[in-house]
Each structure stands twice: as structure tokens, then as C-alpha cells.
Amino acid sequence: MKKLYLVAFFVSVASAAFAGGILTNTNQSVYFLRNPARDASTEIDAVYANPAGLTFLDDGFYISLSNQFAFQTRTITSTFEPFAVNNNGSKVKVFKGSTNSPIIPGLQFAYKKDKLVLSGQIAVVGGGGEVTFDDGLPSFEAPVSMLPYALTGAGISTTAYDLESSMQGNSYLIGFQVNGSYQFSDAFSGAVGLRLTSVTNGYKGYLRNIQINPQHPLLNPTGAMMKATEFFEAAGMSDYAASTADLELDSKQTGWGFAPVLSINYHASDLNLSAKYEFKTSVELQNDTKIDGTGLFQDGAKTPSDIPAIFSLGASYLFTEKWVMTGGYHHFFDSDAEMAGNKQEAIDGGSDEYLMGSEYRFNDRFLVSAGVQFTVTAITDDYQSDLSYSLDSYSIGFGGAWNFTPNLMLNVGYFYTGYNDWTKESANYNGTGLTGSDVYSRTNNVFGIGIDYKF
């Protein structure tokens, strides 16, 4: 059982997207951070947000370089009676994980000539960080916490347990995208693109040195703490000895896949409307394993990890020469993307996002913008676990831009996401046969800086 928990953790923590769907980052430029409602953009960030809108650029070559700094916390507050044994008598225990990603680079470029635009980008389209749980997870500790109960029930008085665990998972989905955009008339333009996504996941960690204090007249007469495996082997309890043995894992997964991207744009006077569809990216990951104490990360084995299709709509309206309002909608077809262990079957359709923003330009040099995003997931209770969970959220982004010259612009932005807690009650908490509950929560902060230049 412990091996299964360990593998599920490492498979799931690699997907640590900072904005967007379960596996997809939509924060692929600083423009998004300072106003997430960018789906009807006609600026350089439209390379991702709205490729058809690039036809409204002036003729020339454009390049945009950016970096984002993302910091995320995951907190699981667990209530389980056996935790009280080594938690100062409290059955409520808090497990925390953190993700720090100081480097999330992005490059976007476009060449416009008359009605034709050729463009591309290199960006982190999913993952982008490392999740670290220094004190383990409740699904690891719950079975261990049952040892004192089981031994005491068998007539061997046991009042304490301990364990060492370290878990790290990282994921980087790098997207290489090219687009061709064409303006068919004054009002209509369209674009066709293709994205190659390269996926690299890394997993390292261990569960070891599980200790208990069984008071046994021959094997441990003083009732001191001792390694659980040694006690169970000496007592002839082979099943317990195997389940408490040390485990270590060092593995990497790699894979790639292609997906077409289609977009259209309608422009009339001060109104701009857009629609985009990104096809599903079919990805199969292959293991490159150095150490596998679980026996379940076989070197060379393959598992599915598709990136869901996305449909988006955007609108912008220029109320004055200085003030524009924007809106957007995203739908992620999560349940149609095959995942390891068929986890997509625990998703009821897909996630939806609703976005609104505004931008105000003071003069030729300075502008400010801000926006909000609301994300509603289609996750069911069966999907949620301390190993992998997704939460409804709201996000606020704001920032500004400064034109040093007519051709050189600096962008800065900040993006905060607050998540709605999810409480999961269980009558068979982590397979222990006892009741328990977990409350899942999360925070997210992203800072960004970028520079644009037109040649």
C-alpha cells in the first residue's frame, strides 16, 4: 500500500500549473499578469492569446522577452485520531508543500508585412516548477500512524511512531509554437498554428526509518524507539516488515506531442472579437529510472499524459482613445485528455474560466491595466486527494507599461490567486478503516517583467 501512495504522489505533483487548467499555463506573458483578459489582444502577446489578431500590428518585426517569478504553497489540514500519538495529543495535523519558480522565461516574436503575419513563441505552457513536501503527506503518515493501534490491539503495548520522508516533483512543459495569420478583409482575419510541446518530469524522494516503541519482553523490554522493520522481522511479522521497509525513488519522464491551433478575429471600429481552439496534445511519457524502490517505475515504461484541448473567446472595446475594456472565456476539455491511472474519469467535463479587465493609457509613455479571472473546475470528490487536487479560484492581476521610446517598452505585472478550500470526508481514511478528513488549500503569487522591441 505504501508503494502505491508514493507512486501516485510522484506522478501527480509534477503538474503544478500556475494559471489556467489542470495541466495548462495561460500566463505566458507579462501582459497576462497585468490583465488576464487578453483573448482579444492585437499586440505582440497575441502570438499565444489571439494569433489572428496579429494582423492589426503595423508592418515590421516584433520581439518580446519576459520572465516570471512564481511562488505557490499547498496546505493540507488533516483530522485523523491516530495522528495524536506524535502530534502533542492533537488529531489535527497540517502538511505543507511549496513551489518556488524564479525562472519562467518566455519569448514571442512576429513579422508583419501587408496582410500576412508569421509569428512564434517559446514558453512554459505547463508546470514550470518544483513541489517540495519536507514533512510528507497525510496519505504517507496515516498507515504508519496505525502501527501503535495495531500492535497494542495485538497485545504489544506501543505508544509512539516516527518516520522520515522527503518528496520532490518537478515538471516543465515547453511549448514551441509557430503561426501564420492573414487578414481577409478589413473586418476578418484568421490564423493557423502548430505547437510542439516537450514534457520533462522529475521525481526524487524517500520514505525511510519508520520507528515504533513496542514494549516486548524479549525483543524490546525497555520500550525504546526502534526501527519498525527490524522489530517485525524479529517477531516473524513478514507482511509488516515489508510494508515498513525503506523506499527510494529517482526517476525522470520525458515525452512530446503536437497540436494545431486555430483562431479567428473580427474587428469593427472600436470593437474586437476573437475565438481560438487549441486541439488536444496527445503525449506519452517514458521513464528513465535510476532508483526505483517502489517496483512500479520500471525503466522504459510509458504512461499517458495528454494536454487538454482549449476553446477561448475574447472581446475588447475602446471606450475612448485612452481606455479599453476586455473580457474572455476559456473552456478546458479536461475529461477528454487521457491521464495516468485514468484520472480523467473523475472529472465531470472540464474547467471554465471567466475573465474581465481594463487598460488606461495616460500618455504616449505610460499605461496601467488590471483584471480578474474566475476559475470553476469540474473536479469530483473522487479526483481529490492529498496527492493531487484542483480547486476553484479567483485571480487578480495588475501592472503597467512604460515606453522608453516609440519602439521600446517595459512591462511589469503581479498576479495573485486565491483558492476555495475543499473538504473531503472519508469513512476509510487512506485505507486505514477509520474515519478522517482533509481540507485542501493553496495560494499563488506571480511577478513578471518583460521588454518589447519593434525593429
Side-chain angles (χ1 to χ4, degrees), residues 52 55-56 182-190 264-268 273:
T55 59
F56 296 96
Y182 189 79
Q183 187 172 2
F184 298 102
S185 68
D186 291 341
F188 286 99
S189 58
I264 56 174
N265 193 91
Y266 172 78
H267 183 79
L273 302 174

Side-chain angles (χ1 to χ4, degrees), residues 416-437:
Y416 168 80
T417 302
Y419 296 84
N420 298 335
D421 290 352
W422 184 296
T423 301
K424 182 174 181 177
E425 306 280 350
S426 177
N428 182 20
Y429 187 73
N430 290 304
T432 62
L434 301 180
T435 61
S437 66

Side-chain angles (χ1 to χ4, degrees), residues 29-239:
S29 73
V30 180
Y31 286 84
F32 176 93
L33 300 185
R34 60 180 177 85
N35 175 12
R38 298 295 301 177
D39 299 285
S41 172
T42 56
E43 299 179 80
I44 183 62
D45 69 310
V47 171
Y48 168 72
N50 178 30
L54 292 169
T55 59
F56 296 96
L57 293 171
D58 293 332
D59 284 3
F61 181 75
Y62 298 76
I63 187 168
S64 179
L65 293 169
S66 66
N67 186 62
Q68 298 179 47
F69 315 82
F71 308 93
Q72 186 180 100
T73 63
R74 301 185 185 190
T75 303
I76 304 162
T77 304
S78 302
T79 302
F80 186 53
E81 188 68 42
F83 285 161
V85 171
N86 77 336
N87 193 38
N88 298 318
S90 175
K91 62 182 180 180
V92 179
K93 191 166 186 176
V94 178
F95 299 82
K96 292 186 176 181
S98 62
T99 301
N100 298 322
S101 302
I103 301 177
I104 307 178
L107 167 65
Q108 297 176 321
F109 55 90
Y111 176 73
K112 164 77 182 316
K113 180 65 174 178
D114 298 327
K115 297 182 178 182
L116 178 66
V117 185
L118 300 177
S119 65
Q121 79 162 14
I122 303 173
V124 180
V125 298
E130 179 177 275
V131 180
T132 302
F133 284 87
D134 293 325
D135 299 318
L137 288 167
S139 58
F140 293 4
E141 188 160 338
V144 178
S145 72
M146 291 294 293
L147 291 175
Y149 283 74
L151 288 171
T152 300
I156 305 173
S157 177
T158 307
T159 60
Y161 72 88
D162 197 9
L163 75 161
E164 296 177 8
S165 65
S166 174
M167 288 73 70
Q168 295 179 344
N170 64 72
S171 179
Y172 295 92
L173 282 69
I174 309 299
F176 304 86
Q177 182 172 334
V178 293
N179 307 303
S181 309
Y182 189 79
Q183 187 172 2
F184 298 102
S185 68
D186 291 341
F188 286 99
S189 58
V192 177
L194 185 66
R195 181 186 299 129
L196 165 65
T197 301
S198 174
V199 182
T200 302
N201 298 333
Y203 320 111
K204 287 186 178 182
Y206 57 79
L207 289 175
R208 66 190 184 199
N209 199 27
I210 297 175
Q211 296 192 42
I212 51 177
N213 66 339
Q215 190 165 10
H216 190 281
L218 298 178
L219 303 177
N220 194 25
T222 64
M225 293 291 287
M226 64 179 298
K227 195 162 185 177
T229 302
E230 295 177 357
F231 174 80
F232 291 130
E233 287 176 346
M237 305 170 72
S238 58
D239 289 343

